[in-house]
Amino acid sequence: MFSDKGQSLMELVVVIAVIIIVVVALTFATIASLRNAQFSQNQVQATKLAQEGIEKIRTLRDRDTADAINYLKGDGGRATKFSDLWAVNLSCPANCYFYFNYASPPVLVGATVANLENIPPPPAKLQFSRQVMIEDVGNGQNQKKVTVITNWTDVSGPHESKLTTILGKI
């Protein structure tokens, strides 16, 4: 009575279900791969920005030009040269946070922990924000520890790249 020609409805449903499962698995694998590639690209960019921040600090130290730094010292005066920071006790977390403003050329601007929230955020078109922390090493007269933290946020949440170096007095 039953014909052996063709496929039954049940076989057809099973084949369609298997095809859908394979397509969904491939779609999720592709999406995960794209997210990982984007995260890797952002991580590389953040590390480059942190390296650039360390190089900017090194350049400020080497050139020691006026108006390179806007930093309020403990005595009420303003540090305008990197060499001015050697005389300042930068015992964190008191007064050692800096950021590069978005002017051209950028100026390193200091802030205390109490007014960190007053630091303006980067322009909306920038995906990364960079913070520089300068601390005393030992007695602070010959070496400063420079830490650059680059932050970014993507679909999986906030991330950061942190680089640290020690600069000597020249």
Side-chain angles (χ1 to χ4, degrees):
M1 303 219 9
F2 293 105
S3 170
D4 286 339
K5 297 179 184 177
Q7 298 175 338
S8 71
L9 181 60
M10 185 57 89
E11 291 171 335
L12 189 59
V13 168
V14 168
V15 169
I16 290 173
V18 168
I19 290 173
I20 288 174
I21 289 172
V22 168
V23 167
V24 167
L26 288 174
T27 302
F28 280 119
T30 302
I31 290 171
S33 176
L34 290 173
R35 281 187 180 169
N36 287 338
Q38 184 65 41
F39 173 77
S40 294
Q41 184 180 9
N42 286 341
Q43 191 173 32
V44 167
Q45 181 66 26
T47 301
K48 285 182 180 179
L49 288 170
Q51 288 172 338
E52 180 184 276
I54 286 177
E55 289 304 316
K56 284 184 179 185
I57 297 296
R58 186 174 284 120
T59 301
L60 287 175
R61 180 204 59 184
D62 294 346
R63 291 187 182 166
D64 200 25
T65 58
D67 299 325
I69 292 178
N70 180 10
Y71 178 76
L72 186 61
K73 298 191 294 187
D75 62 4
R78 286 214 175 271
T80 57
K81 294 183 176 183
F82 195 86
S83 58
D84 293 343
L85 291 180
W86 293 107
V88 177
N89 183 9
L90 295 172
S91 55
C92 284
N95 297 320
C96 61
Y97 291 90
F98 295 85
Y99 72 100
F100 293 103
N101 70 4
Y102 302 100
S104 181
V107 174
L108 194 63
V109 179
T112 63
V113 173
N115 68 3
L116 277 178
E117 64 275 359
N118 296 330
I119 293 177
K125 64 182 179 182
L126 297 180
Q127 179 182 2
F128 300 93
S129 65
R130 183 171 45 194
Q131 176 183 345
V132 178
M133 195 168 49
I134 303 175
E135 303 175 68
D136 291 323
V137 176
N139 63 7
Q141 297 300 312
N142 295 319
Q143 294 180 330
K144 299 287 184 190
K145 177 179 168 186
V146 178
T147 303
V148 180
I149 304 169
T150 306
N151 297 300
W152 79 97
T153 302
D154 59 16
V155 294
S156 63
H159 307 284
E160 77 175 24
S161 177
K162 181 190 287 188
L163 294 179
T164 301
T165 190
I166 297 197
L167 295 180
K169 186 175 184 180
I170 57 172

